[in-house]
Amino acid sequence: GLVFPEPGVQVNSIKLGTYGVPQLAVVIIFIVSGLCLDSVSDCLQPKALALGVSLVLFATPLAAWPILHFGTGRVDLTLLEGMALFCVVPTTLSSGVTMVTQAKGNVSLAVLLTTVTNLLGVFTMPWSVSKIFAASVAIEPMDMLFELIWLTLAPLC
């Protein structure tokens, strides 16, 4: 996208109702992921879910601080900020579920973990970003939560 962004810009401009192609792609990905699950009972592992949520929402964002501060002066600041932001943002469906699938892990748990951390991340991410970057972050959690529910949970119903 950096070298040749025009196709992405064109696809992003296509609207179906109020939503664009990227939002519809997320809905389709969640529907397909849900249809591919072997068993819902596979994801009912409270200890694994609690550990995963703790690592994704609390431990990983803590890794952003040393990345941002110890690399300053040695590595381009924009790269450091991108790496720090990557640590703060919850796992995406494409990275979390795809890697677990490739490793022949528990895909049901990965889908649940991704959904839960993204829904909770709406509330934890603004705080984490403001602390790590020492800046005020204006994010409307309820608007973001509504869009996440619409794009990720509604297709599963």
Side-chain angles (χ1 to χ4, degrees), residues 45-82:
Q45 298 181 19
K47 288 181 186 176
L49 184 62
L51 178 62
V53 168
S54 299
L55 290 173
V56 170
L57 295 180
F58 303 109
T60 308
L62 288 175
W65 194 86
I67 287 171
L68 188 60
H69 295 286
F70 292 138
T72 304
R74 293 179 228 154
V75 180
D76 181 41
L77 183 60
T78 305
L79 177 63
L80 292 173
E81 290 172 342

PDB file of all heavy atoms in Angstrom, residues 45-82:
ATOM      1  N   GLN A  45     -12.432 -22.209  28.039  1.00  0.00           N
ATOM      2  CA  GLN A  45     -11.274 -22.458  28.891  1.00  0.00           C
ATOM      3  C   GLN A  45     -10.973 -21.166  29.648  1.00  0.00           C
ATOM      4  O   GLN A  45     -10.205 -20.330  29.181  1.00  0.00           O
ATOM      5  CB  GLN A  45     -10.081 -22.887  28.042  1.00  0.00           C
ATOM      6  CG  GLN A  45     -10.328 -24.172  27.291  1.00  0.00           C
ATOM      7  CD  GLN A  45      -9.133 -24.589  26.466  1.00  0.00           C
ATOM      8  OE1 GLN A  45      -8.024 -24.145  26.700  1.00  0.00           O
ATOM      9  NE2 GLN A  45      -9.370 -25.455  25.507  1.00  0.00           N
ATOM     10  N   PRO A  46     -11.593 -20.988  30.814  1.00  0.00           N
ATOM     11  CA  PRO A  46     -11.498 -19.709  31.520  1.00  0.00           C
ATOM     12  C   PRO A  46     -10.073 -19.293  31.885  1.00  0.00           C
ATOM     13  O   PRO A  46      -9.727 -18.123  31.805  1.00  0.00           O
ATOM     14  CB  PRO A  46     -12.349 -19.897  32.768  1.00  0.00           C
ATOM     15  CG  PRO A  46     -12.843 -21.282  32.760  1.00  0.00           C
ATOM     16  CD  PRO A  46     -12.446 -21.941  31.490  1.00  0.00           C
ATOM     17  N   LYS A  47      -9.218 -20.238  32.277  1.00  0.00           N
ATOM     18  CA  LYS A  47      -7.845 -19.873  32.639  1.00  0.00           C
ATOM     19  C   LYS A  47      -7.080 -19.366  31.424  1.00  0.00           C
ATOM     20  O   LYS A  47      -6.371 -18.358  31.499  1.00  0.00           O
ATOM     21  CB  LYS A  47      -7.111 -21.077  33.246  1.00  0.00           C
ATOM     22  CG  LYS A  47      -7.578 -21.436  34.629  1.00  0.00           C
ATOM     23  CD  LYS A  47      -6.799 -22.611  35.172  1.00  0.00           C
ATOM     24  CE  LYS A  47      -7.350 -23.061  36.499  1.00  0.00           C
ATOM     25  NZ  LYS A  47      -6.676 -24.267  36.995  1.00  0.00           N
ATOM     26  N   ALA A  48      -7.213 -20.075  30.316  1.00  0.00           N
ATOM     27  CA  ALA A  48      -6.522 -19.656  29.091  1.00  0.00           C
ATOM     28  C   ALA A  48      -7.056 -18.315  28.604  1.00  0.00           C
ATOM     29  O   ALA A  48      -6.279 -17.447  28.173  1.00  0.00           O
ATOM     30  CB  ALA A  48      -6.690 -20.718  28.007  1.00  0.00           C
ATOM     31  N   LEU A  49      -8.366 -18.112  28.690  1.00  0.00           N
ATOM     32  CA  LEU A  49      -8.963 -16.853  28.264  1.00  0.00           C
ATOM     33  C   LEU A  49      -8.493 -15.705  29.161  1.00  0.00           C
ATOM     34  O   LEU A  49      -8.118 -14.632  28.664  1.00  0.00           O
ATOM     35  CB  LEU A  49     -10.486 -16.952  28.274  1.00  0.00           C
ATOM     36  CG  LEU A  49     -11.236 -15.734  27.754  1.00  0.00           C
ATOM     37  CD1 LEU A  49     -10.908 -15.467  26.290  1.00  0.00           C
ATOM     38  CD2 LEU A  49     -12.738 -15.931  27.924  1.00  0.00           C
ATOM     39  N   ALA A  50      -8.483 -15.925  30.474  1.00  0.00           N
ATOM     40  CA  ALA A  50      -8.038 -14.885  31.412  1.00  0.00           C
ATOM     41  C   ALA A  50      -6.567 -14.536  31.180  1.00  0.00           C
ATOM     42  O   ALA A  50      -6.193 -13.359  31.178  1.00  0.00           O
ATOM     43  CB  ALA A  50      -8.264 -15.336  32.849  1.00  0.00           C
ATOM     44  N   LEU A  51      -5.747 -15.538  30.972  1.00  0.00           N
ATOM     45  CA  LEU A  51      -4.321 -15.299  30.702  1.00  0.00           C
ATOM     46  C   LEU A  51      -4.153 -14.533  29.396  1.00  0.00           C
ATOM     47  O   LEU A  51      -3.402 -13.557  29.330  1.00  0.00           O
ATOM     48  CB  LEU A  51      -3.554 -16.620  30.640  1.00  0.00           C
ATOM     49  CG  LEU A  51      -2.068 -16.487  30.308  1.00  0.00           C
ATOM     50  CD1 LEU A  51      -1.343 -15.680  31.376  1.00  0.00           C
ATOM     51  CD2 LEU A  51      -1.449 -17.861  30.140  1.00  0.00           C
ATOM     52  N   GLY A  52      -4.872 -14.945  28.378  1.00  0.00           N
ATOM     53  CA  GLY A  52      -4.784 -14.271  27.083  1.00  0.00           C
ATOM     54  C   GLY A  52      -5.218 -12.826  27.162  1.00  0.00           C
ATOM     55  O   GLY A  52      -4.548 -11.931  26.629  1.00  0.00           O
ATOM     56  N   VAL A  53      -6.328 -12.559  27.829  1.00  0.00           N
ATOM     57  CA  VAL A  53      -6.822 -11.183  27.978  1.00  0.00           C
ATOM     58  C   VAL A  53      -5.803 -10.345  28.746  1.00  0.00           C
ATOM     59  O   VAL A  53      -5.494  -9.212  28.362  1.00  0.00           O
ATOM     60  CB  VAL A  53      -8.205 -11.157  28.676  1.00  0.00           C
ATOM     61  CG1 VAL A  53      -8.583  -9.753  29.104  1.00  0.00           C
ATOM     62  CG2 VAL A  53      -9.265 -11.745  27.757  1.00  0.00           C
ATOM     63  N   SER A  54      -5.243 -10.904  29.815  1.00  0.00           N
ATOM     64  CA  SER A  54      -4.241 -10.176  30.607  1.00  0.00           C
ATOM     65  C   SER A  54      -3.007  -9.845  29.782  1.00  0.00           C
ATOM     66  O   SER A  54      -2.492  -8.721  29.845  1.00  0.00           O
ATOM     67  CB  SER A  54      -3.822 -10.993  31.827  1.00  0.00           C
ATOM     68  OG  SER A  54      -4.926 -11.240  32.648  1.00  0.00           O
ATOM     69  N   LEU A  55      -2.537 -10.805  29.015  1.00  0.00           N
ATOM     70  CA  LEU A  55      -1.342 -10.571  28.200  1.00  0.00           C
ATOM     71  C   LEU A  55      -1.600  -9.549  27.093  1.00  0.00           C
ATOM     72  O   LEU A  55      -0.799  -8.642  26.878  1.00  0.00           O
ATOM     73  CB  LEU A  55      -0.838 -11.884  27.598  1.00  0.00           C
ATOM     74  CG  LEU A  55      -0.235 -12.878  28.588  1.00  0.00           C
ATOM     75  CD1 LEU A  55       0.058 -14.203  27.904  1.00  0.00           C
ATOM     76  CD2 LEU A  55       1.021 -12.308  29.224  1.00  0.00           C
ATOM     77  N   VAL A  56      -2.727  -9.696  26.404  1.00  0.00           N
ATOM     78  CA  VAL A  56      -3.021  -8.811  25.267  1.00  0.00           C
ATOM     79  C   VAL A  56      -3.318  -7.386  25.716  1.00  0.00           C
ATOM     80  O   VAL A  56      -2.851  -6.422  25.096  1.00  0.00           O
ATOM     81  CB  VAL A  56      -4.191  -9.372  24.427  1.00  0.00           C
ATOM     82  CG1 VAL A  56      -4.677  -8.365  23.404  1.00  0.00           C
ATOM     83  CG2 VAL A  56      -3.781 -10.666  23.737  1.00  0.00           C
ATOM     84  N   LEU A  57      -4.088  -7.225  26.786  1.00  0.00           N
ATOM     85  CA  LEU A  57      -4.522  -5.885  27.180  1.00  0.00           C
ATOM     86  C   LEU A  57      -3.628  -5.187  28.197  1.00  0.00           C
ATOM     87  O   LEU A  57      -3.683  -3.966  28.329  1.00  0.00           O
ATOM     88  CB  LEU A  57      -5.952  -5.929  27.734  1.00  0.00           C
ATOM     89  CG  LEU A  57      -7.028  -6.330  26.735  1.00  0.00           C
ATOM     90  CD1 LEU A  57      -8.394  -6.335  27.407  1.00  0.00           C
ATOM     91  CD2 LEU A  57      -7.035  -5.413  25.526  1.00  0.00           C
ATOM     92  N   PHE A  58      -2.782  -5.949  28.904  1.00  0.00           N
ATOM     93  CA  PHE A  58      -1.978  -5.312  29.948  1.00  0.00           C
ATOM     94  C   PHE A  58      -0.477  -5.540  29.775  1.00  0.00           C
ATOM     95  O   PHE A  58       0.297  -4.590  29.828  1.00  0.00           O
ATOM     96  CB  PHE A  58      -2.450  -5.770  31.332  1.00  0.00           C
ATOM     97  CG  PHE A  58      -3.905  -5.482  31.552  1.00  0.00           C
ATOM     98  CD1 PHE A  58      -4.839  -6.499  31.592  1.00  0.00           C
ATOM     99  CD2 PHE A  58      -4.359  -4.171  31.678  1.00  0.00           C
ATOM    100  CE1 PHE A  58      -6.184  -6.217  31.766  1.00  0.00           C
ATOM    101  CE2 PHE A  58      -5.700  -3.879  31.847  1.00  0.00           C
ATOM    102  CZ  PHE A  58      -6.614  -4.909  31.900  1.00  0.00           C
ATOM    103  N   ALA A  59      -0.049  -6.783  29.566  1.00  0.00           N
ATOM    104  CA  ALA A  59       1.397  -7.053  29.450  1.00  0.00           C
ATOM    105  C   ALA A  59       1.977  -6.514  28.149  1.00  0.00           C
ATOM    106  O   ALA A  59       3.025  -5.858  28.152  1.00  0.00           O
ATOM    107  CB  ALA A  59       1.656  -8.558  29.571  1.00  0.00           C
ATOM    108  N   THR A  60       1.317  -6.769  27.035  1.00  0.00           N
ATOM    109  CA  THR A  60       1.842  -6.310  25.751  1.00  0.00           C
ATOM    110  C   THR A  60       1.910  -4.785  25.668  1.00  0.00           C
ATOM    111  O   THR A  60       2.927  -4.254  25.203  1.00  0.00           O
ATOM    112  CB  THR A  60       1.016  -6.887  24.586  1.00  0.00           C
ATOM    113  OG1 THR A  60       0.923  -8.303  24.745  1.00  0.00           O
ATOM    114  CG2 THR A  60       1.656  -6.582  23.254  1.00  0.00           C
ATOM    115  N   PRO A  61       0.896  -4.045  26.123  1.00  0.00           N
ATOM    116  CA  PRO A  61       1.042  -2.586  26.108  1.00  0.00           C
ATOM    117  C   PRO A  61       2.214  -2.082  26.963  1.00  0.00           C
ATOM    118  O   PRO A  61       2.817  -1.069  26.645  1.00  0.00           O
ATOM    119  CB  PRO A  61      -0.292  -2.075  26.664  1.00  0.00           C
ATOM    120  CG  PRO A  61      -1.261  -3.132  26.277  1.00  0.00           C
ATOM    121  CD  PRO A  61      -0.499  -4.426  26.432  1.00  0.00           C
ATOM    122  N   LEU A  62       2.550  -2.809  28.027  1.00  0.00           N
ATOM    123  CA  LEU A  62       3.704  -2.409  28.837  1.00  0.00           C
ATOM    124  C   LEU A  62       5.010  -2.510  28.045  1.00  0.00           C
ATOM    125  O   LEU A  62       5.957  -1.769  28.308  1.00  0.00           O
ATOM    126  CB  LEU A  62       3.794  -3.268  30.098  1.00  0.00           C
ATOM    127  CG  LEU A  62       2.742  -2.999  31.167  1.00  0.00           C
ATOM    128  CD1 LEU A  62       2.875  -3.987  32.311  1.00  0.00           C
ATOM    129  CD2 LEU A  62       2.844  -1.571  31.672  1.00  0.00           C
ATOM    130  N   ALA A  63       5.051  -3.401  27.069  1.00  0.00           N
ATOM    131  CA  ALA A  63       6.245  -3.545  26.229  1.00  0.00           C
ATOM    132  C   ALA A  63       6.439  -2.336  25.323  1.00  0.00           C
ATOM    133  O   ALA A  63       7.541  -2.100  24.814  1.00  0.00           O
ATOM    134  CB  ALA A  63       6.137  -4.814  25.391  1.00  0.00           C
ATOM    135  N   ALA A  64       5.400  -1.554  25.130  1.00  0.00           N
ATOM    136  CA  ALA A  64       5.494  -0.382  24.263  1.00  0.00           C
ATOM    137  C   ALA A  64       6.395   0.695  24.859  1.00  0.00           C
ATOM    138  O   ALA A  64       7.102   1.386  24.129  1.00  0.00           O
ATOM    139  CB  ALA A  64       4.098   0.190  23.997  1.00  0.00           C
ATOM    140  N   TRP A  65       6.383   0.832  26.163  1.00  0.00           N
ATOM    141  CA  TRP A  65       7.155   1.895  26.798  1.00  0.00           C
ATOM    142  C   TRP A  65       8.658   1.742  26.548  1.00  0.00           C
ATOM    143  O   TRP A  65       9.299   2.684  26.077  1.00  0.00           O
ATOM    144  CB  TRP A  65       6.832   1.978  28.285  1.00  0.00           C
ATOM    145  CG  TRP A  65       7.337   3.247  28.890  1.00  0.00           C
ATOM    146  CD1 TRP A  65       6.693   4.438  28.921  1.00  0.00           C
ATOM    147  CD2 TRP A  65       8.611   3.446  29.483  1.00  0.00           C
ATOM    148  NE1 TRP A  65       7.502   5.376  29.515  1.00  0.00           N
ATOM    149  CE2 TRP A  65       8.680   4.790  29.868  1.00  0.00           C
ATOM    150  CE3 TRP A  65       9.700   2.630  29.723  1.00  0.00           C
ATOM    151  CZ2 TRP A  65       9.795   5.335  30.488  1.00  0.00           C
ATOM    152  CZ3 TRP A  65      10.814   3.168  30.341  1.00  0.00           C
ATOM    153  CH2 TRP A  65      10.855   4.511  30.716  1.00  0.00           C
ATOM    154  N   PRO A  66       9.266   0.582  26.843  1.00  0.00           N
ATOM    155  CA  PRO A  66      10.704   0.469  26.563  1.00  0.00           C
ATOM    156  C   PRO A  66      11.034   0.574  25.071  1.00  0.00           C
ATOM    157  O   PRO A  66      12.068   1.130  24.708  1.00  0.00           O
ATOM    158  CB  PRO A  66      11.101  -0.898  27.116  1.00  0.00           C
ATOM    159  CG  PRO A  66       9.864  -1.590  27.503  1.00  0.00           C
ATOM    160  CD  PRO A  66       8.755  -0.590  27.538  1.00  0.00           C
ATOM    161  N   ILE A  67      10.154   0.079  24.227  1.00  0.00           N
ATOM    162  CA  ILE A  67      10.400   0.199  22.784  1.00  0.00           C
ATOM    163  C   ILE A  67      10.487   1.670  22.398  1.00  0.00           C
ATOM    164  O   ILE A  67      11.408   2.086  21.693  1.00  0.00           O
ATOM    165  CB  ILE A  67       9.282  -0.496  21.977  1.00  0.00           C
ATOM    166  CG1 ILE A  67       9.418  -1.996  22.092  1.00  0.00           C
ATOM    167  CG2 ILE A  67       9.315  -0.063  20.507  1.00  0.00           C
ATOM    168  CD1 ILE A  67       8.250  -2.773  21.514  1.00  0.00           C
ATOM    169  N   LEU A  68       9.571   2.450  22.885  1.00  0.00           N
ATOM    170  CA  LEU A  68       9.503   3.865  22.524  1.00  0.00           C
ATOM    171  C   LEU A  68      10.654   4.668  23.131  1.00  0.00           C
ATOM    172  O   LEU A  68      11.222   5.530  22.475  1.00  0.00           O
ATOM    173  CB  LEU A  68       8.158   4.452  22.977  1.00  0.00           C
ATOM    174  CG  LEU A  68       7.837   5.863  22.532  1.00  0.00           C
ATOM    175  CD1 LEU A  68       7.812   5.956  21.007  1.00  0.00           C
ATOM    176  CD2 LEU A  68       6.504   6.296  23.096  1.00  0.00           C
ATOM    177  N   HIS A  69      11.028   4.364  24.366  1.00  0.00           N
ATOM    178  CA  HIS A  69      11.997   5.204  25.066  1.00  0.00           C
ATOM    179  C   HIS A  69      13.447   4.749  24.930  1.00  0.00           C
ATOM    180  O   HIS A  69      14.345   5.588  24.911  1.00  0.00           O
ATOM    181  CB  HIS A  69      11.593   5.339  26.533  1.00  0.00           C
ATOM    182  CG  HIS A  69      10.300   6.062  26.685  1.00  0.00           C
ATOM    183  ND1 HIS A  69      10.194   7.425  26.505  1.00  0.00           N
ATOM    184  CD2 HIS A  69       9.046   5.627  26.943  1.00  0.00           C
ATOM    185  CE1 HIS A  69       8.940   7.796  26.667  1.00  0.00           C
ATOM    186  NE2 HIS A  69       8.215   6.720  26.928  1.00  0.00           N
ATOM    187  N   PHE A  70      13.719   3.472  24.837  1.00  0.00           N
ATOM    188  CA  PHE A  70      15.108   3.023  24.756  1.00  0.00           C
ATOM    189  C   PHE A  70      15.654   3.075  23.336  1.00  0.00           C
ATOM    190  O   PHE A  70      16.860   3.049  23.143  1.00  0.00           O
ATOM    191  CB  PHE A  70      15.266   1.617  25.340  1.00  0.00           C
ATOM    192  CG  PHE A  70      15.043   1.567  26.823  1.00  0.00           C
ATOM    193  CD1 PHE A  70      14.330   0.539  27.396  1.00  0.00           C
ATOM    194  CD2 PHE A  70      15.537   2.569  27.654  1.00  0.00           C
ATOM    195  CE1 PHE A  70      14.117   0.490  28.763  1.00  0.00           C
ATOM    196  CE2 PHE A  70      15.322   2.534  29.016  1.00  0.00           C
ATOM    197  CZ  PHE A  70      14.622   1.491  29.571  1.00  0.00           C
ATOM    198  N   GLY A  71      14.785   3.144  22.351  1.00  0.00           N
ATOM    199  CA  GLY A  71      15.250   3.210  20.970  1.00  0.00           C
ATOM    200  C   GLY A  71      15.446   4.619  20.462  1.00  0.00           C
ATOM    201  O   GLY A  71      16.023   4.839  19.406  1.00  0.00           O
ATOM    202  N   THR A  72      14.984   5.605  21.234  1.00  0.00           N
ATOM    203  CA  THR A  72      15.063   6.999  20.805  1.00  0.00           C
ATOM    204  C   THR A  72      16.519   7.406  20.580  1.00  0.00           C
ATOM    205  O   THR A  72      17.373   7.182  21.417  1.00  0.00           O
ATOM    206  CB  THR A  72      14.410   7.930  21.858  1.00  0.00           C
ATOM    207  OG1 THR A  72      13.074   7.485  22.070  1.00  0.00           O
ATOM    208  CG2 THR A  72      14.394   9.359  21.385  1.00  0.00           C
ATOM    209  N   GLY A  73      16.765   7.999  19.419  1.00  0.00           N
ATOM    210  CA  GLY A  73      18.117   8.424  19.062  1.00  0.00           C
ATOM    211  C   GLY A  73      18.865   7.398  18.239  1.00  0.00           C
ATOM    212  O   GLY A  73      19.817   7.719  17.547  1.00  0.00           O
ATOM    213  N   ARG A  74      18.453   6.139  18.321  1.00  0.00           N
ATOM    214  CA  ARG A  74      19.113   5.065  17.559  1.00  0.00           C
ATOM    215  C   ARG A  74      18.291   4.616  16.356  1.00  0.00           C
ATOM    216  O   ARG A  74      18.831   4.116  15.394  1.00  0.00           O
ATOM    217  CB  ARG A  74      19.365   3.865  18.463  1.00  0.00           C
ATOM    218  CG  ARG A  74      20.375   4.146  19.531  1.00  0.00           C
ATOM    219  CD  ARG A  74      20.567   2.942  20.408  1.00  0.00           C
ATOM    220  NE  ARG A  74      20.474   3.464  21.770  1.00  0.00           N
ATOM    221  CZ  ARG A  74      20.121   2.791  22.812  1.00  0.00           C
ATOM    222  NH1 ARG A  74      19.805   1.532  22.697  1.00  0.00           N
ATOM    223  NH2 ARG A  74      20.066   3.343  23.982  1.00  0.00           N
ATOM    224  N   VAL A  75      16.979   4.738  16.497  1.00  0.00           N
ATOM    225  CA  VAL A  75      16.055   4.295  15.453  1.00  0.00           C
ATOM    226  C   VAL A  75      15.104   5.456  15.155  1.00  0.00           C
ATOM    227  O   VAL A  75      14.793   6.255  16.045  1.00  0.00           O
ATOM    228  CB  VAL A  75      15.257   3.049  15.921  1.00  0.00           C
ATOM    229  CG1 VAL A  75      14.298   2.578  14.860  1.00  0.00           C
ATOM    230  CG2 VAL A  75      16.197   1.927  16.317  1.00  0.00           C
ATOM    231  N   ASP A  76      14.641   5.541  13.924  1.00  0.00           N
ATOM    232  CA  ASP A  76      13.720   6.593  13.521  1.00  0.00           C
ATOM    233  C   ASP A  76      12.506   6.613  14.457  1.00  0.00           C
ATOM    234  O   ASP A  76      11.898   5.574  14.742  1.00  0.00           O
ATOM    235  CB  ASP A  76      13.277   6.346  12.070  1.00  0.00           C
ATOM    236  CG  ASP A  76      12.336   7.416  11.561  1.00  0.00           C
ATOM    237  OD1 ASP A  76      12.578   8.604  11.855  1.00  0.00           O
ATOM    238  OD2 ASP A  76      11.364   7.057  10.868  1.00  0.00           O
ATOM    239  N   LEU A  77      12.155   7.790  14.937  1.00  0.00           N
ATOM    240  CA  LEU A  77      11.064   7.945  15.905  1.00  0.00           C
ATOM    241  C   LEU A  77       9.727   7.450  15.359  1.00  0.00           C
ATOM    242  O   LEU A  77       8.934   6.848  16.089  1.00  0.00           O
ATOM    243  CB  LEU A  77      10.936   9.413  16.344  1.00  0.00           C
ATOM    244  CG  LEU A  77       9.885   9.690  17.405  1.00  0.00           C
ATOM    245  CD1 LEU A  77      10.180   8.912  18.688  1.00  0.00           C
ATOM    246  CD2 LEU A  77       9.807  11.176  17.706  1.00  0.00           C
ATOM    247  N   THR A  78       9.470   7.664  14.077  1.00  0.00           N
ATOM    248  CA  THR A  78       8.205   7.200  13.483  1.00  0.00           C
ATOM    249  C   THR A  78       8.092   5.683  13.558  1.00  0.00           C
ATOM    250  O   THR A  78       7.025   5.149  13.871  1.00  0.00           O
ATOM    251  CB  THR A  78       8.100   7.664  12.016  1.00  0.00           C
ATOM    252  OG1 THR A  78       8.272   9.079  11.979  1.00  0.00           O
ATOM    253  CG2 THR A  78       6.771   7.293  11.412  1.00  0.00           C
ATOM    254  N   LEU A  79       9.186   4.978  13.312  1.00  0.00           N
ATOM    255  CA  LEU A  79       9.184   3.515  13.419  1.00  0.00           C
ATOM    256  C   LEU A  79       8.942   3.086  14.853  1.00  0.00           C
ATOM    257  O   LEU A  79       8.148   2.173  15.115  1.00  0.00           O
ATOM    258  CB  LEU A  79      10.507   2.942  12.904  1.00  0.00           C
ATOM    259  CG  LEU A  79      10.666   1.431  13.035  1.00  0.00           C
ATOM    260  CD1 LEU A  79       9.616   0.698  12.208  1.00  0.00           C
ATOM    261  CD2 LEU A  79      12.067   1.011  12.622  1.00  0.00           C
ATOM    262  N   LEU A  80       9.599   3.752  15.790  1.00  0.00           N
ATOM    263  CA  LEU A  80       9.407   3.418  17.208  1.00  0.00           C
ATOM    264  C   LEU A  80       7.961   3.653  17.643  1.00  0.00           C
ATOM    265  O   LEU A  80       7.386   2.838  18.370  1.00  0.00           O
ATOM    266  CB  LEU A  80      10.346   4.249  18.086  1.00  0.00           C
ATOM    267  CG  LEU A  80      11.831   3.927  17.961  1.00  0.00           C
ATOM    268  CD1 LEU A  80      12.650   4.924  18.757  1.00  0.00           C
ATOM    269  CD2 LEU A  80      12.109   2.504  18.407  1.00  0.00           C
ATOM    270  N   GLU A  81       7.380   4.767  17.203  1.00  0.00           N
ATOM    271  CA  GLU A  81       5.989   5.044  17.555  1.00  0.00           C
ATOM    272  C   GLU A  81       5.052   3.999  16.959  1.00  0.00           C
ATOM    273  O   GLU A  81       4.095   3.578  17.611  1.00  0.00           O
ATOM    274  CB  GLU A  81       5.597   6.442  17.078  1.00  0.00           C
ATOM    275  CG  GLU A  81       6.263   7.542  17.864  1.00  0.00           C
ATOM    276  CD  GLU A  81       6.047   8.923  17.281  1.00  0.00           C
ATOM    277  OE1 GLU A  81       5.683   9.046  16.097  1.00  0.00           O
ATOM    278  OE2 GLU A  81       6.237   9.897  18.037  1.00  0.00           O
ATOM    279  N   GLY A  82       5.326   3.574  15.740  1.00  0.00           N
ATOM    280  CA  GLY A  82       4.513   2.522  15.119  1.00  0.00           C
ATOM    281  C   GLY A  82       4.623   1.205  15.864  1.00  0.00           C
ATOM    282  O   GLY A  82       3.627   0.511  16.080  1.00  0.00           O
TER     283      GLY A  82
END
